[in-house]
Amino acid sequence: MKKVITSILMCTALVMNAQHMGNFNSKVADMDISRANIATSMGNGAAYGNQYAQQYVNLQPSNVLQIKLRSLYNVDATDYTAVFNIVQVGKTAEETTKLMNDKIEIVKQDLKSKGFQGQFSLDMISFVPQYEIEVTKKLFSKTYTEVPVGFELQQNLLISYKKDSDFQKILTACGKAEVYNLVKVDYYVKNLEAIYEDLQNKLLAEVAKKKAYYEKLGFKMEDYNVMMADKKYYHTPKDFYKSYLAAENISMESLKNQKNVTSVRKPTSYYYDPIPYNGYDIVVNAAITKPVIQLGMDLSLQYNLKPIEIKPEPKPAPVKTPDPKVYVVSPNGPIDIKQIPNN
């Protein structure tokens, strides 16, 4: 009985550990992304991906002072634009355009019936005839001629909205109209200048703290010349989606029926992995519960000692030469002393 209880406890512990770890397994992670609203494989995520903490490195003192600051601002999007690609074919140009317009009208009417307040716009991609080879038989020869047999019309339907809940309505309406190709979702934020200005003010406050710290260490900041470099960046959620394969890869039904273990297809899963906060001095709105736009500003300042000014040695004061004296002896004997000025 003790052995049975021990086995149950061990299995329970293994299950609990697995639940904490989740299904992500870095050894089988697949970084090739194929998702409608992901523009590139990992996008800029590779530059900002999670990295392990670096080992301690001995610090090298220097007479050059440096202030390097990084700031990050997480902000919810205020506007969205979903882009759907629609391809329609027909026997004639009129039929093709009518079928295309009918699909788009179904989407619009379904959304308007649900109180949707967004905007619609169309982006014409192509409108080309489709050809087939027609064989004409003659008495002594055959001719092959391209003849139009239909038309293909391709357009992008752009739907702008402001609420996350509207996206589900859009997907439902597009499904009814047999519009399934979601190209991407663009994220926008209003008052972008105000957000960057807020980050600038926070960076200036941090610089003031750093300079006060150096002053307390005995450095006089007025004795230094400063050089600077800065940059800002803007990342939308589609830049930071990653994919992985689930760890489960066998059929449990085969185990129940005591058959050979059968491998099954592993579905590729995706998750949002935003810029990590390690290495950042300022993070605004750190607690996020959904994909957000991440704005950042980096600032680097370098302070170099001003060259020591060498003052010239003072010139010695000129030595004043006394005025010469002239002795005049009269024939009678008295001596008259007179001084002749140099100038």
Side-chain angles (χ1 to χ4, degrees):
M1 185 65 181
K2 291 182 179 180
K3 292 182 179 180
V4 173
I5 295 175
T6 303
S7 300
I8 294 174
L9 291 175
M10 291 177 65
C11 292
T12 305
L14 290 173
V15 171
M16 292 178 64
N17 288 335
Q19 291 295 328
H20 288 160
M21 183 179 65
N23 289 326
F24 177 74
N25 186 344
S26 60
K27 293 182 179 179
V28 296
D30 177 17
M31 293 306 172
D32 293 330
I33 292 182
S34 174
R35 179 183 163 116
N37 67 337
I38 296 178
T40 58
S41 177
M42 288 182 62
N44 292 321
Y48 294 93
N50 292 316
Q51 297 179 0
Y52 295 105
Q54 296 181 352
Q55 297 295 327
Y56 177 77
V57 179
N58 290 328
L59 300 178
Q60 299 296 329
S62 172
N63 59 353
V64 177
L65 304 181
Q66 290 187 341
I67 297 178
K68 294 183 178 181
L69 299 173
R70 304 191 69 194
S71 62
L72 190 66
Y73 200 115
N74 296 323
V75 57
D76 292 338
T78 56
D79 297 272
Y80 307 84
T81 299
V83 181
F84 291 87
N85 180 262
I86 309 175
V87 179
Q88 181 62 57
V89 295
K91 294 181 179 180
T92 64
E94 293 78 9
E95 180 187 10
T96 306
T97 54
K98 182 180 183 305
L99 292 173
M100 173 69 76
N101 293 335
D102 289 344
K103 283 187 176 182
I104 295 173
E105 192 62 26
I106 291 174
V107 175
K108 291 182 178 180
Q109 292 302 323
D110 186 82
L111 288 174
K112 289 180 179 179
S113 67
K114 297 175 182 177
F116 180 72
Q117 300 295 324
Q119 301 295 323
F120 303 90
S121 59
L122 291 174
D123 179 18
M124 171 65 73
I125 304 301
S126 64
F127 189 29
V128 294
Q130 299 295 310
Y131 294 93
E132 285 187 0
I133 301 297
E134 183 180 80
V135 181
T136 303
K137 295 183 179 181
K138 296 183 179 180
L139 183 60
F140 299 105
S141 65
K142 293 181 181 180
T143 59
Y144 299 87
T145 308
E146 281 190 337
V147 293
V149 294
F151 291 84
E152 178 185 282
L153 174 60
Q154 186 174 172
Q155 288 182 326
N156 285 340
L157 173 62
L158 287 74
I159 306 176
S160 300
Y161 59 100
K162 295 182 179 297
K163 300 178 182 178
D164 286 337
S165 57
D166 288 339
F167 188 63
Q168 296 299 326
K169 299 176 184 178
I170 293 172
L171 289 179
T172 301
C174 288
K176 291 181 179 179
E178 298 181 351
V179 176
Y180 307 116
N181 189 2
L182 173 61
V183 179
K184 63 176 181 175
V185 176
D186 290 325
Y187 296 72
Y188 305 96
V189 60
K190 293 180 179 178
N191 301 323
L192 192 61
E193 296 81 4
I195 294 175
Y196 278 122
E197 184 177 356
D198 187 23
L199 279 181
Q200 288 177 354
N201 293 332
K202 287 179 168 54
L203 285 172
L204 289 174
E206 286 296 318
V207 170
K209 292 179 183 178
K210 293 282 187 180
K211 292 173 70 174
Y213 171 68
Y214 289 145
E215 292 277 358
K216 291 180 180 180
L217 291 176
F219 297 93
K220 295 181 179 180
M221 302 307 296
E222 62 269 16
D223 295 338
Y224 289 81
N225 291 322
V226 61
M227 295 187 297
M228 66 85 66
D230 65 347
K231 69 174 181 178
K232 57 184 180 181
Y233 43 89
Y234 177 103
H235 292 299
T236 58
K238 66 182 180 182
D239 297 326
F240 292 97
Y241 272 94
K242 294 181 181 178
S243 64
Y244 70 96
L245 295 178
E248 184 64 48
N249 64 346
I250 60 173
S251 172
M252 297 303 296
E253 190 67 26
S254 299
L255 297 177
K256 292 180 181 179
N257 297 330
Q258 296 183 353
K259 296 180 179 179
N260 294 331
V261 176
T262 304
S263 298
V264 297
R265 184 182 67 87
K266 301 178 185 179
T268 301
S269 301
Y270 300 89
Y271 66 100
Y272 174 61
D273 189 23
I275 297 176
Y277 300 152
N278 53 308
Y280 279 88
D281 304 276
I282 301 169
V283 178
V284 183
N285 301 330
I288 58 177
T289 58
K290 63 178 182 179
V292 295
I293 295 174
Q294 294 186 294
L295 310 176
M297 289 190 68
D298 296 345
L299 176 64
S300 178
L301 300 174
Q302 181 173 307
Y303 295 85
N304 297 284
L305 273 172
K306 295 178 180 178
I308 299 175
E309 183 179 355
I310 302 176
K311 297 181 179 180
E313 295 182 359
K315 295 181 179 180
V319 179
K320 187 177 181 180
T321 305
D323 296 335
K325 294 180 180 180
V326 178
Y327 296 87
V328 180
V329 181
S330 65
N332 298 328
I335 299 174
D336 187 9
I337 302 175
K338 293 184 179 181
Q339 231 173 355
I340 301 176
N342 288 324
N343 53 359

